[in-house]
Amino acid sequence: MRASVTKKNGNNYPSNSRRIGSTSRTFAKFEPEINTHSGDIPAVYQEVLDFLIKSPIPQEIVNFKVSQQAQIRLQILLDKNRESILNPMEIEELDVCEQLEHLIILLKARAYSEI
């Protein structure tokens, strides 16, 4: 996604930048837009975030599993992927699932070493 550019005093700054300081040099601080609407975040991602925000102890991390609903959704995505009928949104959702799976494996390995 490209940030739009706004002209200010003859300079180009991304529209999501903020001017810092009033010296002769102007620096743009890039602040990514964070959309916290839960409808924009895949359900499984929200599940993992909700779990991690509770600061689980190592044993809870080792025991963590996503919900049955999330597992069913993943199975649907995997089946559609095998049949090569995923739409672009589903491809992105499956990519998120794969990234989360990798993260959870790493978390569980580290947590297991702490037990």
Side-chain angles (χ1 to χ4, degrees):
M1 204 179 292
R2 295 179 70 147
S4 60
V5 176
T6 306
K7 278 229 180 226
K8 290 184 182 176
N9 299 327
N11 295 315
N12 292 328
Y13 298 103
S15 61
N16 64 342
S17 68
R18 184 174 49 182
R19 187 174 175 178
I20 300 175
S22 59
T23 63
S24 60
R25 292 177 88 188
T26 302
F27 298 95
K29 179 179 178 185
F30 297 100
E31 296 179 4
E33 290 183 26
I34 299 173
N35 192 347
T36 57
H37 302 296
S38 61
D40 296 338
I41 301 172
V44 67
Y45 204 98
Q46 190 67 47
E47 264 185 54
V48 173
L49 288 175
D50 290 344
F51 171 72
L52 292 175
I53 200 73
K54 295 176 185 175
S55 299
I57 62 172
Q59 187 63 52
E60 291 171 322
I61 294 170
V62 169
N63 295 338
F64 177 75
K65 291 183 180 180
V66 295
S67 69
Q68 185 69 22
Q69 182 180 1
Q71 291 176 30
I72 290 169
R73 177 65 182 155
L74 177 58
Q75 189 60 52
I76 290 168
L77 292 171
L78 290 171
D79 291 343
K80 289 177 87 172
N81 187 48
R82 274 189 219 88
E83 297 170 22
S84 299
I85 57 172
L86 287 172
N87 67 43
M89 294 277 293
E90 291 169 328
I91 292 170
E92 288 182 29
E93 185 178 355
L94 185 56
D95 287 345
V96 167
C97 290
E98 290 173 3
Q99 292 170 10
L100 282 173
E101 179 183 27
H102 186 70
L103 174 68
I104 291 169
I105 289 168
L106 293 174
L107 282 170
K108 286 185 176 201
R110 181 164 292 179
Y112 189 74
S113 70
E114 296 291 321
I115 296 175

